[in-house]
Amino acid sequence: MSRFAGIFNALLDIALPPRCHICHKPVQGEISLHICNECYNSLPVINSPLCTVCGMPFEGEGVDHTCSRCITSPPPYSAARAALRYEGSCKELIHAYKYLYKSHLRRPLALLTAEILHSFVSEQRPELLIPVPLHKSRLRSRGFNQSLLIAETLSRNWQIPLLRQGLIRTRRTTPQVELTRAERLTNLKGAFAVKDTESVTGKHIMLVDDVFTTGATLSACAEALLKAGCSRISAVTVAHAIN
Ligand SMILES: [Zn+2]
Ligand SMILES: [Zn+2]
């Protein structure tokens, strides 16, 4: 931001105080997130116990362990984690971001993810971040790739290089939300490809997506990357849908 833009924004904050992204009341103090303390404290943050592989949260008390789904059919990625449950205020924010095209919501969503998943990422130590790509036609209709915008902020925050076009979408697929669980798993087979094999071979790649639903998208991306010779795939998403 230039100096003038900074001054302009400061004046704007005095004239029009920033509002909480969730409850829309004016916020002071928590300026970078623009989420008031009350909303911040009631965010559906994912805590232990959770699945050590897919990151799905378990109800009640206990220790982290592998869920029955990940034991029966182990996914091609080694570990995935989400910051928030896909419910309540998190679901509303993501909905407005993706379907009401409020691209400025990338900032609170990415900053929350950066903060909540910081220790997971420090343990994993990925060498590169790669966003889940959108097909060109979807990109045209939405105007932005929601995962790429979030990955840009995560990359800056975590100081991990970002490979914007590490993966490309080779064909158009039916949106996953319109399919059953079984259909979702086959819908994406072979839908992703690595653009430049040399840039990913032998590397630990961390995928970035907005919502983990069945994990089918991340699995299809991970398979393409492993085929290209990546040594390890992990993943982070803003939210995890409980199903
Ligand atoms: Zn609020
Ligand atoms: Zn699992």
Side-chain angles (χ1 to χ4, degrees):
M1 200 192 294
S2 77
R3 209 169 116 225
F4 292 109
I7 294 168
F8 179 75
N9 279 347
L11 288 173
L12 205 62
D13 281 358
I14 296 166
L16 290 166
R19 289 181 176 267
C20 171
H21 287 302
I22 297 170
C23 70
H24 309 294
K25 286 184 198 147
V27 281
Q28 270 111 34
E30 320 74 358
I31 292 305
S32 66
L33 264 182
H34 288 185
I35 290 179
C36 74
N37 284 332
E38 210 174 303
C39 291
Y40 183 84
N41 291 329
S42 55
L43 284 167
V45 176
I46 294 178
N47 291 307
S48 286
L50 47 81
C51 172
T52 48
V53 181
C54 71
M56 180 184 72
F58 299 122
E59 294 302 326
E61 305 280 302
V63 291
D64 294 353
H65 57 276
T66 307
C67 77
S68 56
R69 246 175 226 164
C70 290
I71 291 174
T72 321
S73 44
Y77 52 82
S78 50
R81 292 292 185 276
L84 303 161
R85 286 169 184 261
Y86 189 55
E87 62 187 31
S89 54
C90 165
K91 196 170 179 175
E92 282 166 31
L93 280 177
I94 291 182
H95 198 274
Y97 175 50
K98 275 170 82 172
Y99 303 112
L100 306 177
Y101 313 110
K102 297 193 173 177
S103 61
H104 67 280
L105 292 177
R106 75 188 284 192
R107 192 173 158 76
L109 289 169
L111 290 177
L112 283 170
T113 307
E115 180 187 312
I116 296 167
L117 297 181
H118 188 270
S119 61
F120 170 69
V121 172
S122 317
E123 282 160 27
Q124 291 289 318
R125 298 153 68 90
E127 295 165 271
L128 275 177
L129 299 182
I130 293 183
V132 168
L134 282 187
H135 190 264
K136 271 182 274 169
S137 57
R138 187 78 52 77
L139 190 59
R140 262 197 301 272
S141 63
R142 183 170 296 152
F144 61 92
N145 173 355
Q146 73 277 10
S147 303
L148 170 61
L149 297 191
I150 285 170
E152 282 174 348
T153 302
L154 294 180
S155 163
R156 268 197 303 275
N157 214 282
W158 292 335
Q159 301 279 300
I160 301 167
L162 171 68
L163 201 56
R164 281 159 215 277
Q165 297 231 312
L167 280 168
I168 49 168
R169 206 131 181 162
T170 52
R171 62 184 169 84
R172 223 189 141 167
T173 52
T174 312
Q176 292 286 88
V177 288
E178 294 170 18
L179 303 172
T180 65
R181 186 181 173 83
E183 287 169 338
R184 284 176 186 210
L185 298 173
T186 53
N187 181 41
L188 294 170
K189 279 240 177 292
F192 300 98
V194 171
K195 205 174 176 194
D196 170 18
T197 307
E198 224 167 89
S199 57
V200 298
T201 303
K203 295 216 164 89
H204 172 182
I205 307 292
M206 183 173 268
L207 290 162
V208 178
D209 204 2
D210 53 349
V211 185
F212 182 112
T213 308
T214 57
T217 306
L218 293 178
S219 288
C221 289
E223 271 163 15
L225 287 166
L226 289 171
K227 217 162 81 182
C230 294
S231 61
R232 178 183 168 87
I233 314 296
S234 54
V236 290
T237 60
V238 175
H240 193 117
I242 314 299
N243 44 55

